[in-house]
Amino acid sequence: MTNRLKLTPVAFILGALFLTNVQANSLADSLNTVRTAEQSTPLPEVVVTAPQMSAPLTVVTDPKAPRQPVPAHDGADYLKTIPGFSVVRKGGTDGDPVLRGMAGSRLNIATDGQQILGGCGGRMDPPTAYIFPAEYDKITVIKGPQTVLYGPGNSAGTVLFERDTRRAQPGIKSNTSIMTGSFGRHDEVASVRYSLSDFYAEAGATRSHSDDYRDGNGNSVHSSYTRWSSRAAFGWTPDDNTLLELSVAKSDGQAAYADRGMDGARFARSNIGLKFQKRNLSPMVKKVEAQIYRNYIDHVMDNYSVRSPLPGSMLKAMNPDRTTEGGRAAITLNLGDTTQLVTGFDMQRNAHTTRMGMGSNPNTVSYKNGPRVPDARFEDIGLFGELTQHMGKNENSRIITGLRTDFWRAVDERKSSANTGNVTHRNDMLRSGFTRYEQDLTTIPMTLYAGVGIVERFPDYWELISKQSANSTSAFGTKPEKTMQLDIGGLYQSGPWNVTASAFYSQVKDFILIQSNVNKGSATGISIARNIAATTWGGEIGAAYALNKDWKLDGSLNTVRGNNRTDNTPLAQMPPLEGKFGLTFDNQIWSLATMMRTVAAQKRFDLNKGNIAGQDLGASAGFTVFSVNVGWKPRKDLLITAGIDNIANKVYAEHLSRRGAVLPGYDQTARINEPGRTIWLKAQFELK
């Protein structure tokens, strides 16, 4: 540990010496650290390390900004830079995001108001696998069950990937970035928008590739990937208050996985959406919005396209797909000078099918010729309303409350013994709601808040269809979860200080636990879904201190614990205590940042239990890694950044990780080891 700690001051000193030799005039203004609970002006960071809350339970960050450490191309890797998030690791990409120890459909993820669901029964493709963050302008995270506006089941929180749809001045805007790095990594991102007075057209494309990375021991990890996406949109904006947009998108790729016997050979997605918005219709009607969309996922996993199969082994491929269609309509009303109501409905339906093939060589694995076999259909209609009431002198206090009712229908279309024969469909009416009080203090620049939320979550495909139950060959009768959670916290802004803190306590009735390696009288283990009673608690704290207009210290800590009250054991898949600490210099031309990420050992576990993303593998060791980056902004539209992640070439693995599989040519590990020393360089050009 001593040797590793010495790297931090060394990095600071080297960076300082480098900066003193730079002959450039500072163009920076004084560091702006003034924030309120309603609005925030971010510190001028060139490279993002750990975004803080900008409003109660809300984090807003720019996905186009470079990240430290450098993430993969997918949504989960971007989210892990936000305090409270972890990722269940599988290799180089497509990990499952985890917020406060909760994974899967407990975390509601929306892309421009749309729902997207993967097809793999083994979670090879969670929703974030189809999200390319560089395509978006903003990521908003709402922690806890503290909104009802964006879909059902957000017991852990809500993540919104959003694009800027404001009317632009006539002309061309573009954003282009290129990144290269260790292990054959290279990313390309390009987007352009051409605007007339009443119309606009925009297009964008991304491509990301990486070879197998090597851990700190120099051992190769089966983790290569190549992914690409493209998007186009056409909009009509006759005035500043009106928008009508048609958008289309396609993406595909392949990825290697170190945790299983198959890889992702196809991740094809096609999307079409239509969106309408009208603002300021009258003093009472602030906004009317509506949209419809269709997402289609065509996923292929096999054991021969991305890896070299053993001689004489049987080759196989599986080809699930899922079609998700949905829509949303809402109206925002000013019921008075201090009262606002957002009300409306959303709906979605999705159908899942699968087919497979086997053969002795790739040409005989004829899954493409087989019929698609449907196994499940889901439908949901949700009605919601969210009210904000400002109170007190100078409206320095607020009550935000919301109610939501969801009408669910699920159909089990399996024709095998997994379908018990009697129960082929089910209907549930589930309710959710929350109330939060926010208070801006008058004596000190601080906002305090407390909120209570209740969420009834319908079991998802991976809990109902792809698992068994403790008592039958079908988990179709699994009960919905009911979560009751208390959230409290505060935001403090004064002079050079910016401090945020949040804490939560949650009780979950009928928590859906996934338990693997259950014998049930067979020679091989199986995976089942069962309802238990659970309790979780924890929180996050972040602080930034501006030493002067150019230098800033910042850090964050987050922790979560949980108990399985039914089995009297720790609740599985809880991430350990984690901290990030950094020192940053940024004068708007040159920047330097160092970051230390330290993770405690996790000794609380429940072997072979967890969620749809992964199960506990046992205790895990703690670790500390150091990273450093420098940036140069020679002009306002050009940014060049470079960094070294894991400077000490540390060998480590995350606690939330899948078990390493036996793969020809690769060393098997208990968990998936993370990349060793990684060097990267990124250039970004923006034309406005």
Side-chain angles (χ1 to χ4, degrees):
M1 179 65 74
T2 302
N3 292 334
R4 293 200 301 272
L5 289 173
K6 288 181 179 178
L7 289 175
T8 303
V10 168
F12 292 166
I13 293 170
L14 290 175
L17 290 174
F18 171 74
L19 287 167
T20 57
N21 288 297
V22 174
Q23 302 299 317
N25 295 323
S26 173
L27 300 179
D29 295 327
S30 299
L31 187 63
N32 187 350
T33 59
V34 178
R35 293 189 184 182
T36 67
E38 297 289 327
Q39 183 177 356
S40 67
T41 301
L43 295 172
E45 297 171 305
V46 171
V47 177
V48 178
T49 55
Q52 296 187 45
M53 286 194 302
S54 58
L57 294 168
T58 302
V59 177
V60 180
T61 187
D62 178 7
K64 288 185 170 62
R67 299 268 150 168
Q68 182 82 44
V70 61
H73 71 284
D74 67 328
D77 251 28
Y78 267 79
L79 292 176
K80 74 179 182 182
T81 65
I82 299 174
F85 274 94
S86 307
V87 176
V88 179
R89 298 288 285 151
K90 309 168 189 174
T93 186
D94 297 342
D96 248 289
V98 180
L99 176 58
R100 292 173 165 179
M102 297 290 108
S105 59
R106 300 178 180 102
L107 180 61
N108 189 19
I109 297 174
T111 58
D112 275 336
Q114 301 182 23
Q115 300 291 320
I116 182 171
L117 299 169
C120 176
R123 294 291 287 188
M124 188 178 282
D125 62 335
T128 46
Y130 298 98
I131 294 174
F132 300 82
E135 292 184 329
Y136 297 88
D137 299 301
K138 181 173 65 173
I139 299 175
T140 301
V141 176
I142 304 170
K143 297 181 179 180
Q146 290 293 307
T147 184
V148 296
L149 300 180
Y150 306 105
N154 60 320
S155 52
T158 299
V159 181
L160 308 175
F161 290 83
E162 300 173 289
R163 293 185 177 90
D164 186 359
T165 57
R166 291 176 298 178
R167 192 187 194 202
Q169 294 294 324
I172 296 178
K173 293 176 58 178
S174 67
N175 190 298
T176 304
S177 68
I178 300 175
M179 190 191 77
T180 185
S182 302
F183 316 119
R185 175 75 182 272
H186 55 87
D187 294 7
E188 298 84 33
V189 178
S191 63
V192 61
R193 172 167 170 156
Y194 179 67
S195 300
L196 299 173
S197 57
D198 294 342
F199 298 93
Y200 68 83
E202 62 182 30
T206 73
R207 186 182 186 277
S208 183
H209 171 84
S210 177
D211 298 333
D212 289 345
Y213 66 75
R214 295 183 179 273
D215 64 15
N217 285 329
N219 295 324
S220 185
V221 177
H222 190 56
S223 56
S224 64
Y225 61 84
T226 301
R227 304 291 286 274
W228 63 266
S229 71
S230 61
R231 177 183 180 271
F234 307 91
W236 178 53
T237 53
D239 54 57
D240 292 340
N241 296 317
T242 307
L243 167 71
L244 180 64
E245 181 187 85
L246 173 67
S247 62
V248 293
K250 292 184 72 68
S251 62
D252 203 349
Q254 63 180 29
Y257 293 93
D259 68 315
R260 63 192 72 195
M262 303 181 83
D263 300 308
R266 182 192 300 166
F267 294 85
R269 175 206 176 198
S270 60
N271 162 263
I272 185 168
L274 183 65
K275 177 188 298 184
F276 172 77
Q277 292 180 359
K278 183 70 175 179
R279 301 175 183 270
N280 302 318
L281 276 80
S282 70
M284 181 178 180
V285 181
K286 183 178 180 180
K287 185 167 112 174
V288 173
E289 53 188 321
Q291 68 178 120
I292 55 174
Y293 62 88
R294 182 182 189 272
N295 278 305
Y296 176 68
I297 301 299
D298 185 10
H299 174 52
V300 175
M301 58 193 112
D302 65 35
N303 62 353
Y304 57 88
S305 293
V306 187
R307 66 181 67 188
S308 298
L310 291 173
S313 62
M314 179 60 67
L315 306 185
K316 58 183 178 180
M318 301 184 68
N319 180 208
D321 76 342
R322 189 191 296 265
T323 302
T324 303
E325 298 171 327
R328 181 179 185 271
I331 182 170
T332 303
L333 302 173
N334 291 323
L335 302 182
D337 293 338
T338 60
T339 307
Q340 180 175 283
L341 172 67
V342 182
T343 185
F345 72 93
D346 53 43
M347 59 185 296
Q348 65 155 292
R349 60 185 181 188
N350 67 84
H352 187 276
T353 76
T354 187
R355 59 184 176 181
M356 66 177 296
M358 301 180 69
S360 58
N361 63 71
N363 296 325
T364 61
V365 184
S366 56
Y367 70 89
K368 296 180 181 179
N369 299 325
R372 291 197 176 274
V373 180
D375 57 3
R377 286 188 290 113
F378 292 81
E379 297 177 1
D380 171 55
I381 298 177
L383 309 176
F384 58 81
E386 192 166 300
L387 181 75
T388 301
Q389 177 66 58
H390 293 264
M391 304 178 298
K393 183 182 291 187
N394 300 322
E395 300 179 12
N396 57 1
S397 61
R398 298 162 295 282
I399 292 180
I400 302 97
T401 186
L403 293 173
R404 180 181 179 93
T405 300
D406 284 279
F407 300 90
W408 280 96
R409 177 178 173 82
V411 180
D412 184 354
E413 297 186 311
R414 294 171 293 178
K415 306 302 181 184
S416 67
S417 59
N419 189 329
T420 59
N422 294 324
V423 180
T424 59
H425 64 86
R426 56 183 287 183
N427 298 279
D428 290 270
M429 183 176 70
L430 305 181
R431 297 179 176 87
S432 303
F434 76 96
T435 297
R436 184 172 71 253
Y437 178 75
E438 302 175 0
Q439 177 68 57
D440 301 330
L441 303 183
T442 56
T443 55
I444 57 175
M446 188 174 187
T447 297
L448 299 176
Y449 65 86
V452 176
I454 297 176
V455 172
E456 293 181 333
R457 183 182 71 88
F458 192 77
D460 58 36
Y461 170 85
W462 298 269
E463 294 161 336
L464 279 187
I465 302 298
S466 66
K467 297 293 182 289
Q468 301 185 22
S469 75
N471 302 312
S472 80
T473 56
S474 173
F476 198 68
T478 302
K479 298 178 182 178
E481 282 183 357
K482 184 176 182 180
T483 300
M484 178 179 292
Q485 181 166 309
L486 170 67
D487 282 279
I488 61 173
L491 299 87
Y492 175 79
Q493 298 278 323
S494 180
W497 283 103
N498 175 10
V499 182
T500 65
S502 61
F504 72 95
Y505 177 83
S506 175
Q507 286 197 348
V508 188
K509 180 181 178 182
D510 292 322
F511 180 94
I512 302 175
L513 182 79
I514 305 299
Q515 185 169 345
S516 63
N517 292 336
V518 179
N519 195 313
K520 291 185 69 175
S522 62
T524 58
I526 61 170
S527 182
I528 66 170
R530 49 186 286 248
N531 292 110
I532 64 166
T535 301
T536 63
W537 65 96
E540 304 87 33
I541 184 169
Y545 179 75
L547 299 171
N548 55 42
K549 67 177 183 178
D550 297 329
W551 289 92
K552 181 189 72 173
L553 285 166
D554 69 322
S556 65
L557 284 171
N558 54 271
T559 184
V560 60
R561 290 171 71 93
N563 284 333
N564 176 342
R565 303 199 312 271
T566 299
D567 300 337
N568 293 318
T569 61
L571 187 63
Q573 290 288 277
M574 293 290 105
L577 172 69
E578 178 177 335
K580 294 179 182 177
F581 309 95
L583 174 65
T584 303
F585 172 87
D586 186 1
N587 69 2
Q588 299 298 293
I589 295 179
W590 294 96
S591 69
L592 167 72
T594 60
M595 186 184 77
M596 178 181 75
R597 176 178 177 239
T598 184
V599 178
Q602 178 61 287
K603 299 180 180 179
R604 286 173 54 85
F605 66 92
D606 197 0
L607 191 65
N608 298 326
K609 296 179 184 177
N611 50 52
I612 60 174
Q615 287 76 53
D616 275 359
L617 305 177
S620 61
F623 58 86
T624 300
V625 292
F626 299 91
S627 302
V628 62
N629 68 77
V630 294
W632 178 38
K633 196 171 186 179
R635 41 193 282 184
K636 66 178 182 179
D637 54 7
L638 178 62
L639 174 63
I640 299 173
T641 51
I644 305 177
D645 301 337
N646 192 3
I647 294 176
N649 207 27
K650 173 76 174 179
V651 181
Y652 71 102
E654 304 286 353
H655 177 74
L656 298 184
S657 171
R658 304 272 294 196
R659 188 185 304 276
V662 178
L663 298 172
Y666 298 89
D667 292 341
Q668 185 182 14
T669 54
R671 289 180 168 85
I672 310 300
N673 282 346
E674 295 299 305
R677 186 183 297 112
T678 303
I679 302 173
W680 55 271
L681 173 67
K682 181 175 182 179
Q684 184 172 344
F685 179 76
E686 186 174 20
L687 174 65
K688 292 186 177 180

